[in-house]
Amino acid sequence: MNELLWFFIILATYGITAYKQTSTQTTLVALVSAMMIGSIFGSIGFFGWIAFAIIVVPLSYSPWRKEFITKKLLAFYKSVMPEMSTTEQEAIDAGTVWWDGDIFSGKPDWKKFHAIAQPRLTPEEQAFLDGPCEEVCNMVDEWQINHVDADMSDEIWQYLKDNKFFAMIIKKEFGGLEFSAFAQSRVLQKLAGVSAVLSSTVGVPNSLGPGELLQHYGTKAQQDHYLPRLAVGDEIPCFALTSPEAGSDAGAIPDYGVVCKGKFEGKEILGMRLTFSKRYITLAPVATVIGLAFKLEDPDGLLGDTKDLGITCALIPRDTKGLDIGRRHFPLNVPFHNGPVRGTDIFVPLSYIIGGEAMAGKGWRMLMECLSVGRCITLPSSAAGGAKALALATGAYSRIRRQFRMPIGQMEGVEEMLGRIGGNAYLMDAVTSLSTAGVDLGQKPSVISAICKYHLTERMRQIVNDSMDVHGGKGICLGPNNYLGRAYQGVPISITVEGANILTRNMMIFGQGAMRCHPFVLKEIYASQMEDKSEQLDSFDDAVFGHIRFAVSNTFRSIWFSLTGGRLSAAPFKDETAKYYKSMQGYSANLALLTDVSMGVLGGSLKRRERLSARLGDILSYLYLGSAVLKRFDEQGRNHDDLPFVHWAMQDCLSKLEIALDDFLANFPSKAVSIPLRLLVLPFGKRYSAPSDSIEHEIADVLQKPNATRDRLGYGQYVNQEHGSLFGDLEQTLVNVVKSEPIFDKICKALGEKLPMTGLDKLAERALAENIITQEEADLLSETEAGRLRTINVDDFDPQELLMSTSKKVKKPTAAKRKATKTSKDAKAA
C-alpha cells in the first residue's frame, strides 16, 4: 500500500514539474529528492531505485539517449513526414511569430501581453483623419458612384491623389506619408463606413502591391523612379497574381516568362518573354504600372545553371506593347475598378524584375512576407469600420423606427440582433488594434493575418445580415437614401479575395499555425533536413525531447484545468474578467495537447483532414480574438460600462471554441484516442454558453441612445452632420428623438390621450396652441418629425431613372456649397 502511495507521490512530483515546465535538471533533482524521502520513510527500496534508474538514466544521459532512442525516432520521423513543396516552405518561412506563439505554448504570458504598447496616432495622423478623411467622406455620393457613374467622381480621384491617400505606406524620403499600420487601419475604417468603393480604392495601393514590394525589395533606381510618382498619384498601381487556373492555389500560376535576348527600344538586350492571363485585379482598369507574378524559366542558362527559377515579380508599365488592359469586371454591383490583365509573348528587360536580376525566382517569399502585413490591415480594417458604422446606424434606426407604438429596438428579436452587432463591432475593432500594434512593432504575423482576414470578414457578413433584418424594407430598397443595401450586396467580395475564406480556415490558419507557432515542430523539420549527420542527430534530439516534455506538460496542465475549471490559475486582474484569463490559459494547454496528439496519431494525413485542422485553427483563432478583447478593455481604462460588450465577445469566443473542441473530438478518426482525450479536456461537458439574453439587452440599450459607451464603440467613424450625410443625419435624428420623447409624453398626459409617436409637427402645433409646450419644444418636435420621416422612408423612381444610361446625374454639393448651406440654415434657425 505504501509503495503505491509513493508511486503516486513520485508521479505528482513529476506532474508539478511538468506543469511548471521546469528544466530537465530541475525535474531530475525534484524526482531524486522525492525518491530519497521515500527511502528515508522506508517505502522505496532497492528495486524501486532500479526501476527508477532504468527509466530515468537512458532518458537523462544524452549519449545513450541519442544512440538508442533518438536515432530510431529520427528514422521513423523521416519515413512518415510528407514532402514539403517549395511554396509551402517559403510560406512557412515568411513572416514572424508573435502572441500566437504564446497561445500555442500552453502557458500564455499575460504580463508580457499587457506590456505591449497601446497603438496611438501621431498628431500628423490624427490631423489627416480629422481633415482630408472627413472631407473625402463628405464628397462621397454612394448612389452616384454605384448606380450612375460606376466610378468615383473625377473630383474624388484628384482629391485622393492631391492628399496622398495612395501613399500612406510610402516613406517620407520618397514623398509619402509613412503612416503607422494603426493609422492606416483607422483611415480605412472611416472610409469603409461610408463607401466600399472608396476604401477598396485607397486600401489596395497601401497593401500588397508595387509600393510595398518596391520599398522592401526594389533596386535604388526602381525606388527613385516609381515611389515619388506613386506618392503623388502620377502612377496608379495594381498587382496581378490570380489566374483563371490558379485562384486560391496561387503557387500554381500557369503564367510564365522565358529568359532570352530580344529587341527593346531598338537595341538587343537580355530580357524575358512573358505570357499571362490574370483576372480579378483591383485597380487594373485604371492602373499605370502593373505588378506581375509569373514563373520564370531560363532554358538556355543565360542567367546560370538553374532552369526553373520560380515565381518572380516584375513591374510592367501600362504602355508596354502587347499589354491587354482596361476592361472591367463588375463584382456584385460594387463598382470599384477590377478587371483582367493579359499578355502574350511580351518582351521586357530583366530590369523590370522587382529588385532586378538578383531577385529572379524569389517572388513567392516576397509576396508571402508582404501579404502577412497587408492582410492584417486592409480587409480586417474595412470590415471593422463597416461594423462600427452599422452598429451606430442600426442602433439609431431601432430607436427611431416604431411599430406597435414602441421603438422596434425594444422587441426581443431585434435586441438579439443588436446584441450581436454591438458585440461583434467591439471585438472586431479590438482585433484590428492589437494586430496593427504588432505590425508597428516590426512583426510580420502570417498566422494572425489569416485569423484576422477570415474571422473579421465572416463577422462582418453576420453584422450585415442582422442589420438588414432589422431595417427590413428600408434596407432592401436601393436609392440615394439607402446606406445598407450595397454593403449587403458586396460583403461576399471580402469573403472571397486575398485567400478565399474556405481555404483560409481549412488550410492556412492551423496549417501554418502548427508549423510556425508550435515551439518544436519547425525545429524538428529543420533538424531532419540537415546534411551533417552528427549535427542532425544533436538538433533533432534537442527538438524531439523538448517536444515530448512540452506534450507531457500540456497533458498535466489540461488535467488540472479539467479538474479545477481554471479556478486556481493565476489571472492578471481580480475582477469580472479574471475567469476569462483562467479559461484561456487552460484552453491554450488543450490546443497544444490536441495538436501534438493529432500530429502523432495522424502524421502527414492531418494535412488532408482539413475539417479537423480547421477546428484546431478555430481554437487558436478564438483564443487570439479573446485576447484582443481583454487587451482593449484594459487599454480603455477597464470601464465598467463597457463590460456588456466584453462579456458578449468573450462568451461568444469561448462558447464557439468549445463547440470546435467538441466537434474535433466527435470526428477524430480513432475512438481509442478521442474517448480518452474527451475525458482529459471535456470531462464534464462544455463550460460556456452563448451570450445571454440579458447581456444582449444591455448592448441593445446602449446602441439606442447617445452615451459615452456608444461613442467609444463608434469612435473614429464618419458621422459628420454636414448636409447630405446619411449617417450624420441619422445620428442627429436619434438625438432629437431621445430629447422629444419626454415632450411627447408630456403632451399625451396633458391631453389625456395615448397617441402614436407620428405626425409630431402637427402635434406640436396643437400642443403649442394649447400652451402645453414652448416654441423651442415645438421646433424640436417638428425637426424630429422631418428626420424621422427621412429615416423610415425609402426612395422611389420613374422607371427610366433606373436605367444607368439615362439616370439623371445629380451632383452632390461641393464642400463650399455645403458649408454655405449650413451657414444659411444656422442663420435661419437663429
Side-chain angles (χ1 to χ4, degrees), residues 110-159:
W110 296 114
K111 185 177 181 180
K112 180 180 77 173
F113 177 65
H114 282 292
I116 297 170
Q118 179 180 357
R120 298 186 185 277
L121 298 171
T122 65
E124 180 187 1
E125 292 166 343
Q126 186 64 61
F128 187 83
L129 280 161
D130 295 340
C133 280
E134 282 282 310
E135 183 57 32
V136 79
C137 288
N138 285 339
M139 298 166 70
V140 168
D141 182 337
E142 273 282 82
W143 181 251
Q144 189 78 22
I145 290 172
N146 288 293
H147 181 73
V148 181
D149 296 336
D151 196 0
M152 297 185 299
S153 67
D154 292 342
E155 181 187 14
I156 292 176
W157 274 104
Q158 193 57 50
Y159 189 85

Side-chain angles (χ1 to χ4, degrees), residues 721-736:
Q721 292 171 17
E722 293 273 358
H723 173 68
S725 167
L726 296 180
F727 289 111
D729 185 56
L730 196 60
E731 287 294 294
Q732 184 59 57
T733 301
L734 172 64
V735 172
N736 290 346

Side-chain angles (χ1 to χ4, degrees), residues 584-609:
M584 291 172 68
Q585 182 155 311
Y587 288 125
S588 170
N590 288 170
L591 171 64
L593 173 63
L594 294 177
T595 297
D596 285 333
V597 170
S598 299
M599 290 192 293
V601 173
L602 301 176
S605 69
L606 178 60
K607 182 179 176 181
R608 296 185 293 276
R609 293 182 180 273

Side-chain angles (χ1 to χ4, degrees), residues 224-249:
D224 291 342
H225 174 75
Y226 278 114
L227 290 176
R229 296 172 60 79
L230 289 167
V232 297
D234 289 342
E235 300 277 9
I236 299 295
C238 72
F239 193 85
L241 175 61
T242 304
S243 301
E245 301 295 341
S248 296
D249 184 14

Side-chain angles (χ1 to χ4, degrees), residues 442-595:
Q443 299 291 333
K444 294 183 178 180
S446 55
V447 177
I448 287 174
S449 70
I451 292 171
C452 292
K453 192 274 174 180
Y454 172 78
H455 284 276
L456 268 61
T457 55
E458 288 293 342
R459 285 174 184 265
M460 181 57 181
R461 171 152 59 182
Q462 179 70 65
I463 286 175
V464 170
N465 286 342
D466 286 339
S467 299
M468 183 63 80
D469 285 352
V470 172
H471 282 78
K474 173 72 175 180
I476 65 174
C477 290
L478 293 175
N481 292 300
N482 186 313
Y483 47 80
L484 179 58
R486 295 295 181 180
Y488 182 80
Q489 286 183 319
V491 74
I493 298 170
S494 63
I495 303 294
T496 302
V497 299
E498 290 192 12
N501 277 10
I502 294 174
L503 165 83
T504 303
R505 175 175 177 260
N506 284 274
M507 297 177 67
M508 292 183 65
I509 294 175
F510 181 75
Q512 289 192 16
M515 295 288 188
R516 292 289 306 164
C517 303
H518 194 290
F520 297 103
V521 168
L522 210 54
K523 293 178 182 178
E524 290 168 341
I525 292 173
Y526 290 154
S528 68
Q529 294 173 346
M530 290 179 176
E531 293 184 2
D532 183 283
K533 297 300 181 183
S534 176
E535 185 181 2
Q536 181 186 67
L537 188 62
D538 289 343
S539 298
F540 189 77
D541 179 77
D542 289 340
V544 76
F545 280 95
H547 194 158
I548 291 169
R549 286 191 295 271
F550 178 72
V552 172
S553 169
N554 285 305
T555 300
F556 280 102
R557 296 181 76 85
S558 293
I559 292 170
W560 187 243
F561 176 56
S562 295
L563 293 175
T564 66
R567 293 177 185 85
L568 302 179
S569 300
F573 302 99
K574 295 180 180 179
D575 59 11
E576 293 182 67
T577 65
K579 60 184 177 183
Y580 301 132
Y581 287 99
K582 294 176 180 181
S583 293
M584 291 172 68
Q585 182 155 311
Y587 288 125
S588 170
N590 288 170
L591 171 64
L593 173 63
L594 294 177
T595 297

